[in-house]
Amino acid sequence: MSRPKIVVVGGGFAGVECLHRLERRLAPPEADLTLVTPTDYQLYLPLLPHVAAGVLTPQSVAVSLRRRLRRTRLLPGGAIGVDTRAKVCVVRKTTGEIVDVPYDHLVLTAGSTTRTFDIPGLTEHALGMKTLAQAAYLRDHVIAQLDLAAVTQDPAEREARLRFVVVGGGYAGTETAACLQRLTTAAAKRYPRLDPSLIEWHLIDVAPKLLPELGDKLGAKAMRMLRRRGVLFSLGTSVASVEPTKVTLTDGRVLATHTLIWTAGVAASPLVHTLSTDTMRGRLVTTAELTVPGVDAVLAAGDAAAVPDLAKGGDAITPPTAQHAQRQGRVLADNVVARLHGTPLKPYHHRDLGLVVDLGGKDAVSKPLGVELSGIPAQVVARGYHVMALPTVTARTRVLVNWALNAAAGDDFVRTGFQAGRAARLQDFELTDAYMTADQVEERHHDEPKNELAEHKKHKEQKEQQDG
């Protein structure tokens, strides 16, 4: 008799937390667990700016999945389509091979990609901050601009290479600008031919305020901290066009630069659009119990899902943060078990604990449980929260050691070259053009079953005969 197949798509906070809990709640004979993910690690996304700034090594924020998940099968690849009628997840393996993965219960925690707009040149020339590879690439790129600026004889080129533009005034963009500004300020001391006063960091956002998630008071404090460090702000404006050596803003200004870092929000994984189910703000509509209405045996959570926020009420949905994704993962696991055992499902309900924004050094703003903090107390809360949120003792130790080493010895500002020669476009790092359409998924699976699908149906038929 075959075991129920539970397939989880996405190795982020929600997916890994779900499988970790399933491994504890289900005995091995009760279910076959599979995780579809292109990497063998869980990325602790909130600390990516520290990786880009060289404060942390990439391994510090890449938590080994095999250390956390002891009996889950890892399928190296990305889900590019879901056929809910045939109960099949279409996966492109890292080798490029496309396979059909049947399921009895599907958990969609596919995460998100960088949100872009129809701005000329944006997807071709902007640098993102969503993956570990992007953070490593960005660090090398920023240091390379200092190297090139130090040797050029052209004042215009030097000016352009020393001007860095970050778009996005949320916590991701603000932390990225803050951490990398500290990197360039410290690195400039190693370049005797560079005038540190020529280095410019611009933070641009269409919103009228910085960090609106934290409220007016803390947003204003964060701006004052960064202004003291020389960061320039352009709020209430956006980008009109992007070229290799310049950025044109919607207010008509033209900034000569070789670096545009785009962190203007996230969008749900394109996978959600292959299901032909309802979406809200681009995310898959779910019930409070994390089920997807209208389809059988599918649950969803995390950045890809529009989960009702019962703590706020009304038509509010939970924000795409690690805090919610991690806790939704536990409810996902409990509800999968409930379906296997025929017991009632429970709704997801969690009151937001607040946000922390690490601006590097002694600068930070935080709002834990509604208490507004800034400076060193906020930094203690921010780093303490990150350490506790890391899922393993090994990861926590690596991060603490890296922080201590960086504080004591500083950075050597070395370019690794690991990403040299690869295309830097957003879709090249995030593979946003790899997904099937709903029609392509439908055409693929309704002629005759094959591969794993045929084998799965054969086992189900045999089971039904035995039960009959």
Side-chain angles (χ1 to χ4, degrees), residues 44-52 56 61 175 358 386 390 399 403:
Y44 189 76
L45 194 65
L47 288 178
L48 269 190
H50 287 220
V51 174
L56 297 176
V61 299
E175 285 189 335
D358 185 343
H386 288 315
L390 284 161
V399 166
W403 276 337

Side-chain angles (χ1 to χ4, degrees), residues 384-444:
Y385 171 80
H386 288 315
V387 169
M388 294 308 298
L390 284 161
T392 67
V393 173
T394 302
R396 294 170 188 169
T397 303
R398 283 199 181 107
V399 166
L400 287 170
V401 169
N402 271 255
W403 276 337
L405 184 61
N406 184 267
D411 192 343
D412 286 330
F413 312 109
V414 173
R415 284 186 287 119
T416 64
F418 292 154
Q419 304 295 329
R422 72 168 294 168
R425 296 177 306 169
L426 295 175
Q427 59 262 42
D428 293 314
F429 280 109
E430 301 181 34
L431 304 177
T432 53
D433 55 352
Y435 296 86
M436 303 175 76
T437 65
D439 290 340
Q440 288 173 328
V441 174
E442 181 74 14
E443 290 171 4
R444 181 177 174 85

Side-chain angles (χ1 to χ4, degrees), residues 30-114:
E30 289 187 88
D32 180 24
L33 306 177
T34 299
L35 173 61
V36 179
T37 175
T39 63
D40 61 354
Y41 60 83
Q42 176 190 351
L43 176 63
Y44 189 76
L45 194 65
L47 288 178
L48 269 190
H50 287 220
V51 174
V55 177
L56 297 176
T57 62
Q59 291 82 358
S60 302
V61 299
V63 181
S64 169
L65 291 176
R66 291 184 177 84
R67 187 183 289 273
R68 288 205 77 197
L69 306 176
R70 300 304 176 89
R71 58 185 177 89
T72 296
R73 180 177 71 127
L74 300 185
L75 179 56
I80 59 173
V82 176
D83 188 331
T84 56
R85 187 152 61 96
K87 286 193 173 183
V88 170
C89 183
V90 184
V91 176
R92 177 180 277 114
K93 296 168 67 174
T94 52
T95 60
E97 178 189 3
I98 297 178
V99 298
D100 298 331
V101 181
Y103 64 84
D104 294 301
H105 300 275
L106 179 66
V107 178
L108 293 177
T109 55
S112 58
T113 60
T114 301

Side-chain angles (χ1 to χ4, degrees), residues 43 81 93 104 145 156 179 323 353-354 405 460:
L43 176 63
K93 296 168 67 174
D104 294 301
Q145 302 316 299
C179 291
Q323 180 184 145
L353 298 178
L405 184 61
K460 289 193 74 173

Side-chain angles (χ1 to χ4, degrees), residues 191-403:
Y191 295 84
R193 298 181 61 186
L194 277 186
D195 181 356
S197 66
L198 295 178
I199 299 175
E200 289 185 7
W201 279 89
H202 291 255
L203 186 55
I204 296 168
D205 195 88
V206 70
K209 300 173 183 176
L210 188 71
L211 295 169
E213 305 94 335
L214 287 177
D216 295 349
K217 185 178 178 181
L218 287 181
K221 282 189 176 180
M223 282 188 69
R224 288 196 295 271
M225 290 175 182
L226 294 180
R227 275 192 172 128
R228 284 199 301 267
R229 287 158 47 178
V231 176
L232 304 173
F233 292 89
S234 296
L235 301 180
T237 189
S238 187
V239 173
S241 66
V242 186
E243 297 177 46
T245 59
K246 66 180 181 180
V247 173
T248 302
L249 304 183
T250 52
D251 61 9
R253 284 180 295 154
V254 178
L255 300 178
T257 181
H258 292 258
T259 308
L260 173 67
I261 305 169
W262 185 265
T263 61
V266 297
S269 166
L271 181 67
V272 305
H273 302 296
T274 70
L275 276 75
S276 298
T277 57
D278 292 337
T279 59
M280 178 187 296
R281 303 175 200 171
R283 298 159 68 183
L284 201 63
V285 170
T286 73
T287 65
E289 292 75 23
L290 308 182
T291 61
V292 178
V295 293
D296 182 39
V298 178
L299 295 90
D303 291 5
V307 178
D309 193 338
L310 300 183
K312 292 183 178 179
D315 59 356
I317 59 176
T318 58
T321 63
Q323 180 184 145
H324 280 286
Q326 200 167 34
R327 288 162 176 79
Q328 287 168 5
R330 298 167 193 160
V331 177
L332 281 171
D334 291 341
N335 286 346
V336 169
V337 172
R339 281 192 159 179
L340 290 175
H341 296 167
T343 56
L345 278 60
K346 71 177 185 179
Y348 172 74
H349 186 286
H350 170 68
R351 189 173 298 279
D352 204 311
L353 298 178
L355 292 173
V356 295
V357 181
D358 185 343
L359 302 176
K362 299 177 182 178
D363 294 335
V365 289
S366 302
K367 195 175 182 180
L369 301 174
V371 179
E372 296 186 346
L373 302 173
S374 61
I376 293 178
Q379 186 65 281
V380 171
V381 170
R383 297 207 170 183
Y385 171 80
H386 288 315
V387 169
M388 294 308 298
L390 284 161
T392 67
V393 173
T394 302
R396 294 170 188 169
T397 303
R398 283 199 181 107
V399 166
L400 287 170
V401 169
N402 271 255
W403 276 337

